Amino acid sequence: MKAIEFTTEELCRDSRLRIALVTETWPPEVNGVAMTLKRMVDGLIRRGHSIQLIRPKQAIGDVATHGGALEEVLSRGIKLPRYDGLKFGLPAKSSLVRTWTRQRPDLVHVATEGPLGWTAVSAARKLHLPVTSDFHTRFEHYSTHYGVGWLSQPVAAYLRRFHNRTAATFVPTSELAGSLAAQGYERVEVVSRGVDTVQYSPARRSEALRRQWEVAPGGIAVVSVGRLAPEKNLGLTLRAFAAIREHRPDARMVIVGDGPMRDAIARECPHAVLAGMRHGEDLAAHYASADLFLFPSLTETFGNVTLEGMASGLCTVAYDYAAAAEVIRDLHNGAIVRRGDEKGFIQRAVQLACADGLRADIGREARRTAEGIDWERVCDHFAEALLSAWRGKALAHDGRVSLRIQGGES
């Protein structure tokens, strides 16, 4: 192997990076972070970058992927308390320093803020590697829903310190960027989210599925999609549905997802269809076969389900923040309610449940909006943001970069 020097300007014209991406969640785990990261990694690979994916081992027998543009490195992890199916990675600074000394990446991107993520930032800084981060989850908000509200301020301080150690923090909305900047976060940049409008489509609507739900002809199916957990504000979903039933006795509640609140929901709403976890085309059919989507969560950084529902042609009722604030115009392509206004949320849900024509018009506009929110453009933006961070580090080294050459390829 030999090193050849190029000026930064020469090298950045057509740069292909070797990126170490560190995450504590990854498919087949089912959550918005894992899904988003998979989309982003696939997009980076299509653009010619190579990825070293560092993540906790998910289960006994989990085997790392090797070869091609994606190489996995499995680390140790333990189960996340009260959040079945997810782990957080244990500290691994020494191991990461050794790994990145043997094969030095061009840039480290840390997607999650657990112990593995913290030590990845530390290892990158020790080796003078450019390092960026994602802000995916409002952990400080979650604490109030799990009986440890006293942790909210310490968690917020930890997150701020974590991200301010990186060259850039990527967030999905301008609203969140402004909120974090006001809290003292530095170098915050917006990289939005996209939606797969082939998978999520009104064409997936299934009358057979509606009959399975026992929705009468002309009846209305109200859907909720997401983890069945306290932070999703599902109590308001059920109260809104109860109000809808007073006006529309033909309404059926369909709840897609699983989690610690499943039994409580079954007791409170015994006639609801508890569909459990759904994936792929099956999930898409559950969206498209419904008529109204209720999403009152107040703990989202984005809320991918908002775009999935819109792409499916659903009329969505949500609070005016996160993805809904970015893409929904009230009573045009969805319905948005002032954050925390539970009475207003219920009123809007009842209004739309009772207005079949308006609801259908809104669903069509929602689909048109989703068709313009393309993952490829999002991946372009993400790739350029990473390149920008790498270029900034390169420029700090007197405008010259050392490029490793082996076997004729860089």
Side-chain angles (χ1 to χ4, degrees), residues 119-202:
T119 54
V121 174
S122 298
R125 287 163 61 93
K126 178 180 176 67
L127 295 173
H128 304 289
L129 293 166
V131 56
T132 56
S133 60
D134 283 338
F135 191 104
H136 280 288
T137 306
R138 304 300 295 264
F139 286 112
E140 76 280 22
H141 290 177
Y142 278 39
S143 61
T144 61
H145 295 283
Y146 286 88
V148 287
W150 56 273
L151 281 175
S152 179
Q153 287 189 339
V155 169
Y158 167 82
L159 292 173
R160 182 171 57 249
R161 186 178 174 205
F162 179 102
H163 289 287
N164 284 350
R165 298 171 75 217
T166 70
T169 296
F170 304 130
V171 300
T173 69
S174 55
E175 180 266 343
L176 180 58
S179 174
L180 293 182
Q183 295 173 47
Y185 282 69
E186 303 165 359
R187 301 175 297 279
V188 179
E189 300 180 25
V190 177
V191 176
S192 192
R193 302 286 183 266
V195 63
D196 184 342
T197 55
V198 175
Q199 174 166 315
Y200 298 103
S201 167

